[in-house]
Amino acid sequence: MTNEMMNVQPVSAQAAVVQGSNQVMNYVDPAAVAAAESAKARIQAAYTMAAYRPRNEDQARVKILNACRRPAFAERVEYAKPVGKDRTGQQTYINGPSIRFAELCIREWGNIDCQNQVVYEDDEVRRVRITVTDLETNSSLSKEVQLSKNVERKSDKGREIVRERINSWGDKIFIVRATDDEMQIKTDAAISKALRNEGLRLIPQDIVDEAIDTARATMRNRDAEDPEAAKKKLIDAFYSVGVEPAQLMEYLGHEIKMCTPAELADLRRVYSAIRSGDAKWTDFMEPAEEESNEGASKAKAKLEDLKTRKAAEKAASESQPPKSYRKEMSKADEKAAEAEKPAAEKTMMERMADLKAQVAAEHPGATL
């Protein structure tokens, strides 16, 4: 039996080679084979259907524009996201086509294959690859996104805290471990953004621009017909994502009923960005100028106090002689004191002798 023992040597994660005395047998994981064959069949079917039913670009363009003429969809075509301030201190934004608009374009353009795959994952991060392929032109675009398995929360109740930070409002924010549901939401949002950015690159830019202009015209016409209804609908939409009417007034700088058509369009872009997860309401709002100035004054006062103390310490250290010099001086002082001590004692003896002589002269017979 010793001569007939078989050695098993793993070759890959799916297969192993079993070597015996007279035969070699390949073993392959059936699940891996099934998955590979399924993927192969799906890709072949997609390319076959693309060849069998090629896209009609004119028909696709008409469908996209017709969708942008529907007010309910037109208000979600664009989004706005804050990116910082300009030289004058004004908040600046980037505007662009939204995720919902990109999904419409990809669907109506046709013969575009979208895939996502988790390529790496550990306890800290998850890395996902998103691939978009035009099956007719064989153009393929891909992007990898890395997601941290942490989220920011204002409360740490029942959560595993990773670290803490202070936001621009002065509030303490806890970075905690994400739950499975939170991680799924983060992953879906990242995939949607990547599909928007990469998918729209396969759609002719002139069609995208024409569709956005059509959506803007649709919203202008609807607002002109019934401005009050448009404002009420926006208030309700923002309230559904946790933004109160008072916060909208603070953002606008006046009452909502005084909104101009341009401000209504801006609010729609802000709402679209919040709903799709591109931004948060706090990204569009900043601490009041008074609070910012107060914080800056406190920080400046602390800095000046620190500079003053550092300068005082430096001056004190410079005014003192070096340690070696101070050590030498102390030794010299000790020697001088030892030298002066006998002289001082001698002087005292002389004074005592003079005193005795004086007493004897003035009081004969007196003893000291």
Side-chain angles (χ1 to χ4, degrees), residues 139-158:
S139 299
S140 181
L141 301 170
S142 65
K143 182 177 182 179
E144 286 192 7
V145 294
Q146 182 166 297
L147 306 170
S148 171
K149 292 191 174 181
N150 301 325
V151 293
E152 294 187 352
R153 293 291 181 266
K154 289 186 177 181
S155 173
D156 63 338
K157 186 176 181 180

Side-chain angles (χ1 to χ4, degrees), residues 305-329:
D305 181 58
L306 180 61
K307 287 182 178 179
T308 303
R309 284 187 293 169
K310 290 291 184 182
E313 292 175 1
K314 184 178 180 181
S317 62
E318 291 179 351
S319 62
Q320 294 180 357
K323 289 184 178 180
S324 58
Y325 178 75
R326 291 201 301 269
K327 187 175 182 180
E328 293 176 359
M329 288 295 296

Side-chain angles (χ1 to χ4, degrees), residues 319-365:
S319 62
Q320 294 180 357
K323 289 184 178 180
S324 58
Y325 178 75
R326 291 201 301 269
K327 187 175 182 180
E328 293 176 359
M329 288 295 296
S330 60
K331 289 183 178 180
D333 292 341
E334 290 177 1
K335 291 181 179 180
E338 291 293 334
E340 291 175 358
K341 188 175 180 181
E345 292 177 354
K346 182 179 179 181
T347 303
M348 183 63 68
M349 294 298 294
E350 291 178 352
R351 290 180 60 189
M352 288 294 294
D354 294 341
L355 181 60
K356 287 180 179 181
Q358 183 179 356
V359 170
E362 293 177 358
H363 305 279

